[in-house]
Amino acid sequence: MKKLLSGDEAIAYGAWRAGVKFATAYPGTPSTEILEAFARLPGIYAEWAPNEKVAVEVGIGSSMAGARTLVAMKHVGVNVAADPLMTFTYTGVNGGFILISADDPEMHSSQNEQDNRIFARFAGMPLLEPADSQEAYDYVEYGLELSEKHDLPVMVRFTTRLAHSKTLVNVEEKALDKELRGFKRDIKKYVMMPIYAIPRHKDLLKRLADVQAEAETSPMQTVEMQDTDLGVITSGVPYQYVRELLPDASFLKLGLTHPLPEKMIRRFAGEVKRVLIIEELEPFLEEQIKALGIECTGKEFTGRLGELTPERLAVALEKAGLKPSFHPVKTPPLPALSRPPVLCPGCSHRATFTALKKTGAHVFGDIGCYTLAALPPLEMVHSCVCMGASIGNAVGVAKAGGSQKPVVAVIGDSTFLHSGITGLLEAVYNNANVTVIILDNTITAMTGGQHHPGTGKTLMGTDAPKVDLETICKSVGIKHLWRLNPMKLNELETALKDSYQIDGPAVIIAEYPCQLYPTRLKRIPMIVDPELCNGCGACLRVGCPAILTTEELSAEGLPKVTIDADLCTGCEVCAWVCKPDAIKFPVLEEVEHD
Amino acid sequence: MTKVTNVLIVGVGGQGVILASEILTEVATKFGMDAKKSEVHGMAQRGGAVSSHVRFGPKVFSPLIAVGDADILLAFEALEAVRWAHYTNKDSKILANDLRLIPTTAFLSKGTTYPDDPFAELEKSGYHADKIPADQIAKDLGNVRLANTILLGALSKHLDVPEEIWLKTIEARVPKKTIELNREAFQRGRGAL
Ligand SMILES: Cc1ncc(C[n+]2csc(CCOP(=O)(O)OP(=O)(O)O)c2C)c(N)n1
């Protein structure tokens, strides 16, 4: 059956077809939809792990038990999971194991654009790079077979462009029946202490050599011999762009890119006059092919930054002296007012940062919706490095004594459970003068509303115990803790000021549900009394999409505001900053009738 | 149809750009063509600009339309037509909803402002957009959500695909009780110019 599937959905269907029974992940754009799609398929188990390291460790366990296993994450997740992965290639697998790395060239929604193909090589994992949804679907099954045959975890690496593009896929109606192999004690394979790790490392090199031999004849590599003046070696989505821009050239399109099929590359290079390497980000293929002594170019034209879009590639090909089928036009965009993403109406993060702004502080941030508070108009997040970094960053600043203001860390609930707890241990152990605010909206909002150990639900929709953040904080040794509703801005402001006076770490748990996930919340919208509004703009500076300026001017000559009743959730943050008290709920009688 | 057709659909988060591009892609595949649809939807929920590339034809490689290579630009909002106009060329068609959505953060902007008339702005730079009063028509029909279907109706006039395929695909995507209304909205969109 032909289906239009995104790359993420294709991975999920492909895994199901190949008999994967066990999948785990921590959400992260652009990989999140893989597990969401997989969890809806019959006869499987799928879960959210607290972070990527745990996901890989659980996946290793599932593979040890002999189940075909899928673990998915965004590119930076692989950094978190690097420790188990680097040794997992030594032990190898029992049930086939696929690691999905969803990279994000152009940083559409990430803090960096690292190229994880290098990770595959670093750890010694065979690497597959699909170029459309059909290949994503097919490569999962192929990868699992490769994994079981060569006793190795296999990485399937693709990018945002593939993850979020829909193309046609031939979907099988039935899943393969793969029996559970069962765990067998084998200390030489599974206990990586030096005495066993040393021989396993040697064995890893042998296993990789076997994969390399297979790569030479693998059906995942395709050769299209056309005009032999130019031969292009490429992989992944860039193949699609270059195939269209140079319709007459010869192509070696690699699907299995680590270990590289040396002989095949030499043969191809020998048959063409000029070799061009087209790849996004790092010169992963190019450096290795140059090391084979093959003359080739690529990065000097394409560069190492961002996504290789068709127009960028067309420019690069012209620079290389070629004639792409599409002549890159240099029409600059017309100036258009930008639409930066903003916190949603009713989002409690707006309240927290409005209060922080009032008290004044240096605020070390983390990753989540609240990172948007770094931008105007709130501008109250002053750093963002990686998930879980906020508390450590704040401790470092406080200990080095480099800030004259109160030092605050802000971290979301999902991020705190992902990698914030160890930071808090550090703050307690070394008695740092920091205030840690846990922004608890009881969901992983940034990535589209996934459950986590604090929400009371699993990915499969069953109930789960709800971990209590206050208990965690107290058990690591936090003595000063406030648990409050940030929408009560006065209480939050007082707690902040009190926490700044404390010697040692303090925690404020700011609890208020996300307005979008798991269900959209809305109360009675507020209204602006045009008689009272003086156009001062204080409400506009909380940055809410529901507040709009009007054409009507106040006595001071400033535009008065109005509130969009469809968007307003009645959260009252704007009312809190309104000096003339112009923002209120509609008259009480109406409220009671509603 | 031998060549690949490129349709760029743009708008603001929440307007239904992605759904419309899904429908177009499905229509193309039902008509027996290869099709690809691509967008990045990281922050769409949060009021950002949204764009979706749809390409279809006998065989499609690239999932992205190159700058200057869109055959049709369909804008769900007028300023978004301005933002993406450079994806078109002199032979392209620009269809834009006669709707102005001013971003909340507009008051922060020092230089650029929201133009009084985005359509005039386009003309000044040598682009012409056909004005589709989709929101007005939707209001006349009594449901603002129909704007989406009206815009698809307007788009359908410029594509060589039988009307029945469009209607079947749309019907499968909308609530049962609004099927008749959506049919009417689609026809009004087709006749909007
Ligand atoms: C290592 C790693 N994994 C995943 C992500 C993707 N990601 C960014 S923020 C975030 C979690 C946000 O949830 P939370 O901390 O609860 O804040 P909220 O968005 O709900 O405000 C995730 C999963 C990432 N950036 N890095």
Side-chain angles (χ1 to χ4, degrees), chain A residues 33 108 161 164-167 240-241 243-244 311 326 329 331 337 339-342 445 517 540 544-545, chain B residues 12 22 36-41 45-46 55 61-62 64 66-67 77 80 83 86 101 104-105 107 112:
Chain A
E33 295 91 331
H108 295 288
R161 189 55 56 200
H164 288 172
S165 291
K166 288 203 172 183
T167 63
Q240 309 288 5
Y241 304 139
R243 180 67 182 73
E244 192 161 314
E311 60 277 358
F326 170 75
V329 279
T331 36
L337 183 65
R339 290 186 195 276
V342 287
Y517 307 113
L540 290 169
C544 176
Chain B
V12 178
E22 295 244 9
K36 290 189 175 177
K37 173 194 88 114
S38 186
E39 76 262 330
V40 171
H41 42 62
Q45 285 287 4
R46 292 155 191 91
R55 308 189 72 219
F61 287 103
S62 165
L64 283 182
V67 171
E77 196 270 352
E80 295 312 305
R83 194 185 313 284
H86 64 295
L101 293 176
T104 337
T105 44
F107 76 98
T112 336

Side-chain angles (χ1 to χ4, degrees), chain A residues 84-115:
Chain A
L85 276 176
M86 296 299 293
T87 306
F88 185 28
T89 47
Y90 286 26
T91 70
V93 306
N94 183 19
F97 182 104
I98 294 282
L99 175 77
I100 303 288
S101 171
D103 291 12
D104 191 17
E106 200 77 23
M107 295 175 265
H108 295 288
S109 41
S110 304
Q111 67 269 34
N112 77 22
E113 54 178 355
Q114 67 187 56
D115 186 337

Side-chain angles (χ1 to χ4, degrees), chain A residues 73-377:
Chain A
M73 57 197 60
K74 70 182 285 165
H75 59 337
V76 288
V78 180
N79 301 335
V80 178
D83 206 5
L85 276 176
M86 296 299 293
T87 306
F88 185 28
T89 47
Y90 286 26
T91 70
V93 306
N94 183 19
F97 182 104
I98 294 282
L99 175 77
I100 303 288
S101 171
D103 291 12
D104 191 17
E106 200 77 23
M107 295 175 265
H108 295 288
S109 41
S110 304
Q111 67 269 34
N112 77 22
E113 54 178 355
Q114 67 187 56
D115 186 337
N116 275 6
R117 296 180 300 170
I118 294 172
F119 241 120
R121 195 166 172 228
F122 188 24
M125 269 181 282
L127 171 63
L128 294 168
E129 293 188 69
D132 61 21
S133 297
Q134 180 69 59
E135 290 185 358
Y137 181 86
D138 295 336
Y139 283 18
V140 177
E141 187 177 339
Y142 177 76
L144 285 162
E145 271 153 27
L146 205 66
S147 169
E148 285 169 1
K149 183 166 165 201
H150 297 284
D151 194 12
L152 276 168
V154 169
M155 179 191 279
V156 175
R157 180 261 190 191
F158 52 80
T159 59
T160 306
R161 189 55 56 200
L162 184 132
H164 288 172
S165 291
K166 288 203 172 183
T167 63
L168 285 170
V169 181
N170 246 324
V171 179
E172 299 289 339
E173 315 258 332
K174 265 204 188 132
L176 297 176
D177 195 15
K178 291 281 161 187
E179 67 177 313
L180 194 65
R181 297 174 169 196
F183 177 73
K184 282 185 209 68
R185 175 177 171 273
D186 183 352
I187 57 172
K188 289 183 184 163
K189 177 172 163 65
Y190 293 129
V191 183
M192 287 302 96
M193 52 207 276
I195 180 176
Y196 302 132
I198 291 166
R200 277 311 278 181
H201 189 193
K202 193 170 162 199
D203 192 67
L204 167 61
L205 300 187
K206 192 185 147 294
R207 284 176 276 148
L208 282 171
D210 291 346
V211 181
Q212 179 159 34
E214 183 159 345
E216 299 287 356
T217 56
S218 165
M220 305 301 120
Q221 330 284 37
T222 43
V223 182
E224 289 171 79
M225 289 315 288
Q226 303 189 94
D227 185 349
T228 53
D229 280 350
L230 179 70
V232 179
I233 304 181
T234 183
S235 65
V237 172
Y239 162 76
Q240 309 288 5
Y241 304 139
V242 68
R243 180 67 182 73
E244 192 161 314
L245 289 168
L246 299 174
D248 302 322
S250 292
F251 287 90
L252 172 56
K253 172 185 171 295
L254 298 172
L256 173 52
T257 49
H258 181 258
L260 279 181
E262 284 184 24
K263 288 186 204 127
M264 183 182 250
I265 291 170
R266 280 187 204 286
R267 216 179 312 124
F268 179 76
E271 285 175 28
V272 296
K273 289 207 188 99
R274 176 182 177 188
V275 177
L276 185 69
I277 316 284
I278 297 299
E279 57 190 325
E280 242 162 21
L281 298 174
E282 298 303 315
F284 177 77
L285 301 173
E286 188 174 338
E287 283 181 352
Q288 292 184 74
I289 292 170
K290 278 187 170 146
L292 295 176
I294 294 169
E295 205 180 305
C296 60
T297 51
K299 281 293 146 192
E300 59 185 282
F301 308 118
T302 59
R304 291 165 55 176
L305 304 174
E307 206 179 349
L308 208 53
T309 56
E311 60 277 358
R312 283 183 194 163
L313 185 57
V315 171
L317 294 175
E318 289 203 337
K319 254 200 273 172
L322 299 162
K323 284 206 173 60
S325 63
F326 170 75
H327 175 64
V329 279
K330 288 184 194 69
T331 36
L334 306 179
L337 183 65
S338 68
R339 290 186 195 276
V342 287
L343 293 172
C344 305
C347 174
S348 62
H349 299 338
R350 178 175 293 108
T352 305
F353 290 100
T354 300
L356 271 169
K357 194 165 191 168
K358 196 158 169 219
T359 67
H362 278 140
V363 182
F364 299 89
D366 225 296
I367 306 198
C369 292
Y370 46 96
T371 318
L372 289 173
L375 303 176

Side-chain angles (χ1 to χ4, degrees), chain B residues 174-193:
Chain B
V174 299
K176 273 236 158 53
K177 53 180 198 293
T178 67
I179 286 185
E180 268 317 305
L181 257 182
N182 272 283
R183 269 182 170 269
E184 193 178 341
F186 184 81
Q187 295 305 350
R188 291 284 297 273
R190 250 178 115 78
L193 285 172

Side-chain angles (χ1 to χ4, degrees), chain A residues 328-541:
Chain A
V329 279
K330 288 184 194 69
T331 36
L334 306 179
L337 183 65
S338 68
R339 290 186 195 276
V342 287
L343 293 172
C344 305
C347 174
S348 62
H349 299 338
R350 178 175 293 108
T352 305
F353 290 100
T354 300
L356 271 169
K357 194 165 191 168
K358 196 158 169 219
T359 67
H362 278 140
V363 182
F364 299 89
D366 225 296
I367 306 198
C369 292
Y370 46 96
T371 318
L372 289 173
L375 303 176
L378 290 165
E379 297 177 287
M380 278 311 285
V381 167
H382 307 129
S383 75
C384 165
V385 181
C386 69
M387 281 188 78
S390 59
I391 304 178
N393 292 166
V395 170
V397 169
K399 285 283 168 191
S403 167
Q404 303 313 312
K405 291 184 181 174
V407 176
V408 175
V410 289
I411 184 166
D413 47 333
S414 189
T415 304
F416 180 70
L417 295 171
H418 174 281
S419 50
I421 302 170
T422 42
L424 196 61
L425 266 173
E426 152 74 21
V428 170
Y429 178 47
N430 292 311
N431 197 44
N433 272 328
V434 296
T435 296
V436 175
I437 307 176
I438 305 178
L439 304 158
D440 184 8
N441 58 2
T442 41
I443 204 81
T444 318
M446 177 79 184
T447 43
Q450 291 75 30
H451 286 286
H452 62 64
T455 67
K457 284 267 182 232
T458 68
L459 173 58
M460 306 282 282
T462 54
D463 289 336
K466 232 181 183 164
V467 70
D468 181 48
L469 299 182
E470 177 175 348
T471 312
I472 293 183
C473 295
K474 289 197 165 149
S475 65
V476 305
I478 288 291
K479 295 273 178 305
H480 307 278
L481 185 141
W482 290 259
R483 191 171 183 161
L484 49 77
N485 173 358
M487 296 311 225
K488 298 191 169 145
L489 278 120
N490 292 325
E491 278 176 39
L492 174 57
E493 192 187 334
T494 311
L496 281 169
K497 285 182 177 156
D498 290 349
S499 77
Y500 299 159
Q501 304 308 316
I502 286 163
D503 177 34
V507 169
I508 297 173
I509 303 177
E511 291 176 309
Y512 193 78
C514 173
Q515 302 296 288
L516 270 188
Y517 307 113
T519 41
R520 205 173 269 267
L521 300 176
K522 190 166 159 62
R523 287 162 304 277
I524 303 148
M526 303 196 79
I527 51 171
V528 180
D529 184 340
E531 301 285 305
L532 295 177
C533 177
N534 62 9
C536 73
C539 56
L540 290 169
R541 282 187 289 277

